[in-house]
Amino acid sequence: MEIIIQKTAEEGSAVGGRIVAKLIQHKPTAVLGLATGSTPLKLYREMIKWHKEQGLDFSQVTTFNLDEYVGLSADHYASYSRFMNENLFDELNVPTQNIHIPNGLPENLAEHCAAYEREMVDAGGLDLQVLGIGSDGHLGFNEPTSSFASRTRIKTLDQQTVEDNQRFFKEGEEVPRHVITMGLGTIMEARTCLLFAFGEGKADAVAEMVEGSVSAMMPASVLQFHRDARIILDEAAASKLKKADYYKWVYSNKPEWQQY
Ligand code: F6R
């Protein structure tokens, strides 16, 4: 794991933006795995900036989102489809046919999940997967005790996650209990995993993910087995890491060719 600690979420997201830009410059047909939630919003602003100000071209890029609520149509205000359009795709030139987000209202759920997996393989696999982390350590919507070998499937959200995500829903409207999510096994096949965590509320989960035991009780700890997992944190999210000074030392001594 590479732990990148920046003073603020803005600075961390700028590093992330450079990593994504470098990948697309090097491989214009890159396949990106994307996440929703509050965390990647600043990264998405950076990507839009790269596109509008530096001419970064997304016309050959393909994307796959991690997850979607079961029962919400693509145009529901809280659907991840809508979220992605409003926060990223409306501002970029990714062709619509290259954008993949699980369908929250599939005719046959199991078949839809299997087809989603096949589409990722057909696209050449994920070059880079953007990730956030839940306060209970979930990745995508792989809640504690999810199998490390799991693939795209339906999951029931933990009550904590339902509470955490209530803020995205109007008062009186319930967060769906079920989601379609890529599995931990799916995520682990991405060539690079780029996880962002910002704020004190993520500090415990981050410390367990990076420095704790690998356990299905902390799904994100599976990234300890990933050969290229980069964890971008602000100071608050890094505040419970025992070896924070070491990670900063490593980052500030990166050889020039390895810098972002
Ligand atoms: C979203 C996702 C989730 C979030 C996580 C953190 O697509 O897969 O794992 O990344 O719940 O959410 P935020 O960023 O809102 O704290």
Side-chain angles (χ1 to χ4, degrees):
M1 274 183 169
E2 179 179 8
I3 315 301
I4 301 167
I5 303 171
Q6 299 286 292
K7 275 204 186 66
T8 63
E10 284 72 19
E11 286 169 78
S13 303
V15 173
R18 291 200 294 277
I19 291 174
V20 172
K22 223 175 175 176
L23 167 66
I24 296 173
Q25 282 161 348
H26 171 75
K27 185 179 180 186
T29 58
V31 181
L32 302 181
L34 299 174
T36 58
S38 310
T39 309
L41 285 174
K42 293 187 172 71
L43 168 73
Y44 295 161
R45 259 174 251 144
E46 289 294 323
M47 287 163 64
I48 293 166
K49 221 158 86 186
W50 270 95
H51 174 60
K52 298 209 159 151
E53 294 173 15
Q54 312 288 330
L56 186 67
D57 182 18
F58 287 79
S59 66
Q60 296 179 75
V61 166
T62 298
T63 68
F64 287 89
N65 261 77
L66 278 170
D67 39 24
E68 179 60 285
Y69 290 110
V70 172
L72 299 193
S73 63
D75 60 358
H76 186 280
Y77 73 90
S79 77
Y80 286 168
S81 219
R82 179 94 170 253
F83 176 100
M84 290 308 296
N85 287 336
E86 285 174 0
N87 292 295
L88 189 66
F89 296 133
D90 286 352
E91 308 290 334
L92 295 183
N93 64 335
V94 183
T96 313
Q97 68 272 19
N98 289 9
I99 296 172
H100 303 83
I101 300 175
N103 175 2
L105 291 169
E107 262 176 43
N108 179 330
L109 210 140
E111 175 45 39
H112 179 62
C113 294
Y116 201 68
E117 288 275 337
R118 279 197 303 273
E119 281 168 335
M120 276 183 262
V121 172
D122 291 347
L126 302 174
D127 288 301
L128 180 144
Q129 175 65 57
V130 173
L131 296 163
I133 181 171
S135 56
D136 63 357
H138 67 234
L139 278 193
F141 276 132
N142 295 282
E143 298 285 24
T145 71
S146 288
S147 161
F148 283 179
S150 51
R151 314 302 305 191
T152 303
R153 70 208 182 292
I154 186 172
K155 283 291 285 181
T156 305
L157 293 180
D158 192 286
Q159 279 159 293
Q160 178 65 52
T161 308
V162 170
E163 276 168 39
D164 286 351
N165 287 7
Q166 191 65 55
R167 69 190 194 279
F168 294 112
F169 287 77
K170 290 183 184 147
E171 224 182 291
E173 201 165 334
E174 286 202 337
V175 179
R177 297 316 189 231
H178 296 114
V179 290
I180 295 173
T181 179
M182 282 187 204
L184 293 172
T186 320
I187 293 167
M188 286 294 282
E189 280 173 17
R191 289 174 197 103
T192 298
C193 283
L194 192 58
L195 184 144
F196 296 83
F198 302 129
E200 220 185 315
K202 299 291 171 76
D204 284 317
V206 164
E208 274 192 63
M209 163 182 70
V210 176
E211 296 176 342
S213 316
V214 174
S215 160
M217 283 301 284
M218 173 47 57
S221 66
V222 71
L223 292 177
Q224 291 183 29
F225 284 125
H226 197 281
R227 63 188 156 182
D228 184 12
R230 306 177 200 175
I231 315 295
I232 300 188
L233 308 170
D234 64 1
E235 290 281 0
S239 59
K240 298 203 171 155
L241 287 170
K242 293 194 190 86
K243 293 187 72 70
D245 288 343
Y246 168 66
Y247 308 136
K248 288 182 189 168
W249 163 259
V250 170
Y251 189 72
S252 61
N253 284 290
K254 263 166 106 74
E256 205 176 324
W257 60 271
Q258 269 193 346
Q259 289 172 13
Y260 305 127

